[in-house]
Structure formats: C-alpha cells, structure tokens
Amino acid sequence: IALTFNSKMAASSTTRNGDHGLTLYHFDSSFFSTKVRLALAVKGLSYQKQDVFHAGEENFEPWFMRLNPLGEVPVLVHGGKVIYDSTRIIDYLDTVFHDKGPRLAPPDDTDLGRRVRHFRDLLDDLPVEWYTYGSFYYPELANDSLIPGILRRKARHALTPSTVQRLRDLAGAHPDLAEAYLAKADKVEQRIRDRENRLQIEKVIDDLWVTLDEVEKELEERKKEEEATGQQQWLCGESFTAADIMLSCLLHRLTLVGLYSRAVQQRP
C-alpha cells in the first residue's frame, strides 16, 4: 500500500516566479502548513512561500492578524483572495485548479467521494496539537522523538501567561483587531490549561488508536484489491486524495513526536 511521506515532496513545488499566482504564509514545522504544502506538491502547483516565525510570535503581529484573525498558519493568498484553514485551502486548490493533478476531493455522489469524505472527516477531527504538546510536556508518553531535546524544552515555554497578557495589550493598541486578539488570548489561556491535563492527553492518545484501527481495516481492503488487480492503492482507492494527505501528514507527525512505535510499528 502506497502510504509514505516524503518531506521533500511537501516543499518541492516552490518555484522562482510563482506563475500560479499563489502565496502561502506558513511555518515549516506546522502540521497544518505541511498538509497544504503536500497538496500543492501533489497538484503540481508553483507558489511563493512566506515564513511566519511562530517561535517569535510573528503570527500575533497586526499585519498577520489582518490576514487571518485567528492568528494561525497556513494562509493562502490568490488573486486578492485570502483563504485560511488547511482543509478549506485544499478544497479551494482542488476546485480552482481542478485540471491540475489528481482530484483530491472527488464528488460526494460517488463511492470514492463518499469514502474520501468519511476518512477525511475522521482524520481531520483528530486533535493533532494535543499529540505534539502532550509529547513535549510528558515525554514518557512517547518514544524515540526525532525532535531534539533542546527544542522540546523551548516548546514547553512557548506559550505562557505573559503571552496572554501580550495579546490583551495588543487588543488595546489595535482597536480594529481587539475582538480577534481577545479571542486569541482566551484560546492561548485554554491551551495552557489543556497541556497541564495529563489525563486528558492520555485519553486523546488512546482515542487515536481507535481511529487508526479503522484506518487499518480500510487499508486491509485496499491491500486485497491491490493483490487482485495489481493496481497501486491508496487509502480510499487508486488515486491519491485529501484523505491520504491527512493520513500521510499524521503519520509523519507521530514519527516526529515519538508516537511512531506505538501507532505505526504495531500496524505493519
């Protein structure tokens, strides 16, 4: 079954002139940015990259909050349109550039489309951020993390009460963005509480295994089809789709944070 992730592939579409008129605001290690970069690569679309440095909280700067009031990457700009949320960006690319590369989201009125929709929604609902910062704060829950210890230690101090205060100060300094900044401050404050809840982190990791069990059953069906037809299969069929993008990026992330042996090696 052709389920592998090549990080070079996710970056391979960047070109010198960006002749498709696309600009992607992203952060290299962002899970959701990776999803969009992989979609762009699969569609064969050239684009310009604009790095948004999360460690320096550049995503909280007023210029970026005006692009995306949620203060999150990725953001795609195309012909004056601004699209944020990785799933919406992938759908936009698949619709506007339907003649480029494979259809990532086949019509829902087909068997393939319904299958893709099911697994895409199933995987999109996973709280991937919990796996990441859960492994940072409770490293004993993970094994063989590929992220250097010094970076994990820095990540543990990335969001603090001072970050919340800075966002509230920015709300006062930029009245036109006050609502967005205050909402972001509340979200960061909740994130700080969440990361201290070890029992909840353990629960979401346990729930992940249930989801992967369902994925594994589907892959077994594809394996049978591949053996019968000799045709390479992906998660939902013969073509690479948005469901494969999500699964590939998920497995890549689990490898990075040290959950690979628990999540993948037991599912050959």
Side-chain angles (χ1 to χ4, degrees):
I1 302 297
L3 266 178
T4 59
F5 179 90
N6 186 334
S7 58
K8 292 181 180 179
M9 181 182 182
S12 64
S13 293
T14 308
T15 64
R16 292 178 297 278
N17 56 18
D19 55 8
H20 288 111
L22 299 166
T23 299
L24 179 68
Y25 292 82
H26 79 126
F27 183 56
D28 272 344
S29 62
S30 157
F31 172 82
F32 299 101
S33 295
T34 303
K35 281 177 58 182
V36 173
R37 292 196 305 267
L38 182 54
L40 286 160
V42 170
K43 297 288 283 184
L45 298 173
S46 58
Y47 64 101
Q48 293 295 312
K49 290 195 295 186
Q50 178 68 47
D51 294 327
V52 180
F53 191 46
H54 269 213
E57 298 184 348
E58 190 176 6
N59 53 309
F60 299 156
E61 292 296 325
W63 71 267
F64 186 76
M65 293 290 286
R66 290 190 173 94
L67 269 182
N68 180 4
L70 299 178
E72 298 172 350
V73 291
V75 175
L76 184 75
V77 177
H78 179 231
K81 296 184 179 69
V82 178
I83 308 100
Y84 47 86
D85 180 86
S86 60
T87 298
R88 289 182 59 234
I89 292 173
I90 291 171
D91 284 342
Y92 177 84
L93 293 172
D94 203 40
T95 300
V96 174
F97 299 100
H98 57 85
D99 58 336
K100 302 290 185 181
R103 287 305 305 265
L104 299 176
D108 287 345
D109 60 357
T110 65
D111 288 341
L112 176 61
R114 284 188 289 271
R115 195 179 297 152
V116 170
R117 174 60 57 190
H118 171 74
F119 281 99
R120 189 183 188 190
D121 291 347
L122 180 73
L123 295 168
D124 274 343
D125 283 344
L126 292 173
V128 176
E129 292 180 349
W130 285 69
Y131 313 145
T132 303
Y133 63 73
S135 69
F136 290 163
Y137 280 86
Y138 306 100
E140 65 275 13
L141 297 178
N143 300 300
D144 305 321
S145 173
L146 299 181
I147 301 173
I150 187 171
L151 294 182
R152 295 198 302 271
R153 289 192 292 274
K154 285 184 177 180
R156 287 198 288 269
H157 301 288
L159 297 177
T160 66
S162 65
T163 307
V164 176
Q165 187 57 52
R166 181 193 173 208
L167 289 166
R168 289 178 176 153
D169 291 343
L170 284 166
H174 301 278
D176 61 316
L177 295 170
E179 184 177 354
Y181 273 124
L182 292 175
K184 189 67 177 178
D186 290 343
K187 185 172 182 178
V188 170
E189 199 167 38
Q190 183 62 51
R191 173 81 59 80
I192 293 171
R193 289 193 295 269
D194 287 343
R195 71 191 185 191
E196 296 172 355
N197 189 343
R198 176 174 175 141
L199 289 178
Q200 183 62 25
I201 290 172
E202 290 177 339
K203 181 181 183 303
V204 298
I205 292 175
D206 287 341
D207 290 343
L208 168 64
W209 313 144
V210 176
T211 297
L212 289 180
D213 283 341
E214 181 173 347
V215 170
E216 179 66 14
K217 290 177 182 177
E218 190 68 20
L219 288 173
E220 285 296 328
E221 293 301 313
R222 300 288 84 73
K223 184 177 180 179
K224 293 175 184 176
E225 292 176 10
E226 185 170 308
E227 291 172 348
T229 66
Q231 178 66 46
Q232 184 183 51
Q233 298 288 320
W234 298 88
L235 175 58
C236 296
E238 295 180 2
S239 61
F240 189 93
T241 69
D244 297 291
I245 287 176
M246 182 60 192
L247 181 57
S248 299
C249 292
L250 174 65
L251 297 180
H252 182 250
R253 176 51 56 105
L254 295 179
T255 301
L256 282 178
V257 302
L259 291 171
Y260 179 87
S261 59
R262 295 176 62 185
V264 180
Q265 287 181 342
Q266 61 184 336
R267 295 173 171 86

